[in-house]
Amino acid sequence: MSSSCDNADCLAWAARDESGFLSPYKFSRRALGSDDVSIRITHCGVCYADLIWTRNGHGDSKYPLVPGHEIVGIVKEVGSNVRRFKVGDHIGVGTYVNSCRDCEYCNDGDEVYCDKGMAFTFNDVDADGTITKGGYSSYIVVHDRYCFSIPDEYPLASAAPLLCAGITVYAPMVRYKMNLHPGKSLGVIGLGGLGHMAVKFGKAFGLNVTVFSTSLSKKEESLSLLGADRFVLSSDQEQMKALDKSFDFIIDTASGDHPFDPYMALLKTAGVLVLVGFPSEVKFNPASLNLGMKTVSGSIAGGTKVTQEMLDFCAAHKVYPKIEVIPIEYANEALERLIKRDVKYRFVIDIEKSLK
């Protein structure tokens, strides 16, 4: 096991180069500050971002790179100024660990849109100037502002995917008040980690939920496993045409390139389409937007305020992601399966039991 220094005490799995291959690694976390929380990590979700950055997909990866930004665990130590958490609390950390704390977005609890840029949980610059390292590790030290309380009754393994996949769809859904209009219609494009959470939130909000997919194999799981009200094969023009002007909301989770005009046609007047995926381009006819007074919006994860709200909502309404729990030794295979979309619907690494 390679080490960044002789007194390294944080166990992890890291990528060393653009191959993205993960292997055991040891390093030192920054010292606990007065506003920090030290967290013993029990579980970490596997996100597509882990794959992108371990393989230098954006050309900015800093090796050795420890991925993981769906982190949950148990508080093991708190700084002298911390009042929100105590030793033994269940706690989570999502996609960012710092922000300017002074701009209008930070002041509104929307730190994910910080004017000066948030600091990502891995492959970014930490408060002490070191490179952030994520949740494929035994513990992490984070400013308490960017930590979330996980209700005691909510399973830690299930909480992990909420901190990226869950909040990425929950935040825009409540921003556009989809939670306040039971009986209205929601379309969900794509049925992966994000899409299946959009279905679950939609049903919890009392919406009529339709899943759109290019794969007929998704029909049974959409209807039976996730409880969607309807499944539509998006390549079937007749099925699509029959649904013209019938949706109040559409959440587009697809990152593969796809046409937008056919989906815009499905929105009612003043309907809203929210894009949370990252296709290489977004292209549609202006008439698709203007003639129906429609809205197209983008969104990423969520600020601290809405993230805590989501965690509390999931506990209160028993909303759980569908997960496959794996040991850390399986991480490389899990990333390969992620490429093939061979997971229902989120891998979660059992750090506590397998990282030794």
Side-chain angles (χ1 to χ4, degrees):
M1 179 177 285
S2 61
S3 171
S4 59
C5 60
D6 291 338
N7 63 351
D9 66 344
C10 188
L11 307 181
W13 276 47
R16 304 320 204 278
D17 54 41
E18 293 184 7
S19 71
F21 184 79
L22 297 162
S23 59
Y25 174 65
K26 282 180 76 174
F27 67 100
S28 295
R29 290 286 186 190
R30 64 180 170 85
L32 185 81
S34 59
D35 297 307
D36 289 337
V37 180
S38 181
I39 301 163
R40 174 170 60 83
I41 298 173
T42 61
H43 299 84
C44 185
V46 177
C47 177
Y48 206 84
D50 302 345
L51 182 71
I52 292 171
W53 270 280
T54 54
R55 302 189 181 190
N56 201 25
H58 292 314
D60 63 352
S61 296
K62 305 169 184 70
Y63 299 104
L65 189 150
V66 179
H69 61 200
E70 297 179 339
I71 301 167
V72 295
I74 297 170
V75 176
K76 67 174 190 172
E77 191 177 0
V78 298
S80 58
N81 293 338
V82 175
R83 299 291 179 266
R84 295 174 54 225
F85 301 100
K86 66 183 185 301
V87 173
D89 283 353
H90 290 187
I91 192 169
V93 177
T95 60
Y96 53 95
V97 292
N98 210 346
S99 65
C100 80
R101 306 175 208 164
D102 193 41
C103 69
E104 62 176 307
Y105 300 103
C106 286
N107 288 335
D108 285 343
D110 242 348
E111 298 90 343
V112 72
Y113 299 110
C114 174
D115 273 340
K116 296 179 182 177
M118 58 180 168
F120 293 115
T121 304
F122 66 88
N123 198 57
D124 208 338
V125 180
D126 205 348
D128 64 345
T130 60
I131 302 304
T132 55
K133 291 178 169 59
Y136 292 26
S137 58
S138 56
Y139 80 99
I140 191 169
V141 177
V142 181
H143 189 289
D144 78 319
R145 176 175 180 145
Y146 309 98
C147 298
F148 305 103
S149 177
I150 297 173
D152 287 341
E153 68 274 18
Y154 200 88
L156 286 173
S158 296
L162 299 178
L163 295 165
C164 178
I167 191 57
T168 297
V169 293
Y170 182 92
M173 291 177 84
V174 297
R175 183 182 310 134
Y176 287 100
K177 299 181 172 32
M178 300 182 200
N179 57 324
L180 302 180
H181 296 286
K184 289 201 170 186
S185 52
L186 168 69
V188 177
I189 304 172
L191 197 64
L194 277 66
H196 98 285
M197 287 308 305
V199 173
K200 283 179 165 286
F201 285 132
K203 293 303 297 179
F205 294 155
L207 300 173
N208 188 289
V209 180
T210 297
V211 171
F212 295 93
S213 176
T214 56
S215 174
L216 191 58
S217 65
K218 301 278 189 177
K219 181 176 182 178
E220 182 63 24
E221 61 198 70
S222 298
L223 301 175
S224 300
L225 186 63
L226 299 176
D229 299 285
R230 180 167 48 191
F231 175 88
V232 173
L233 189 65
S234 55
S235 57
D236 186 324
Q237 294 185 13
E238 287 189 12
Q239 286 189 55
M240 295 288 282
K241 184 65 176 174
L243 295 172
D244 269 10
K245 299 180 181 178
S246 61
F247 287 88
D248 299 287
F249 314 109
I250 294 176
I251 297 283
D252 186 350
T253 72
S255 285
D257 287 336
H258 56 286
F260 282 80
D261 285 305
Y263 294 107
M264 296 292 288
L266 303 183
L267 288 172
K268 295 178 181 179
T269 298
V272 176
L273 184 150
V274 179
L275 177 66
V276 295
F278 283 86
S280 65
E281 69 172 6
V282 176
K283 186 177 181 180
F284 52 84
N285 191 309
S288 296
L289 184 70
N290 298 346
L291 295 183
M293 197 172 62
K294 298 168 185 176
T295 297
V296 175
S297 176
S299 193
I300 47 173
T304 54
K305 182 179 178 181
V306 71
T307 300
Q308 188 62 60
E309 175 191 307
M310 173 204 62
L311 289 165
D312 295 340
F313 178 89
C314 287
H317 296 270
K318 295 180 168 46
V319 176
Y320 305 106
K322 295 287 184 183
I323 61 174
E324 180 177 336
V325 179
I326 60 171
I328 189 72
E329 295 84 3
Y330 192 76
N332 288 301
E333 191 167 346
L335 291 174
E336 290 297 327
R337 282 179 56 189
L338 201 58
I339 295 171
K340 301 171 186 173
R341 301 177 184 176
D342 178 23
V343 56
K344 291 185 177 59
Y345 290 90
R346 204 67 159 184
F347 289 115
V348 174
I349 301 171
D350 190 332
I351 297 291
E352 184 176 43
K353 289 183 179 177
S354 64
L355 182 58
K356 306 295 183 184

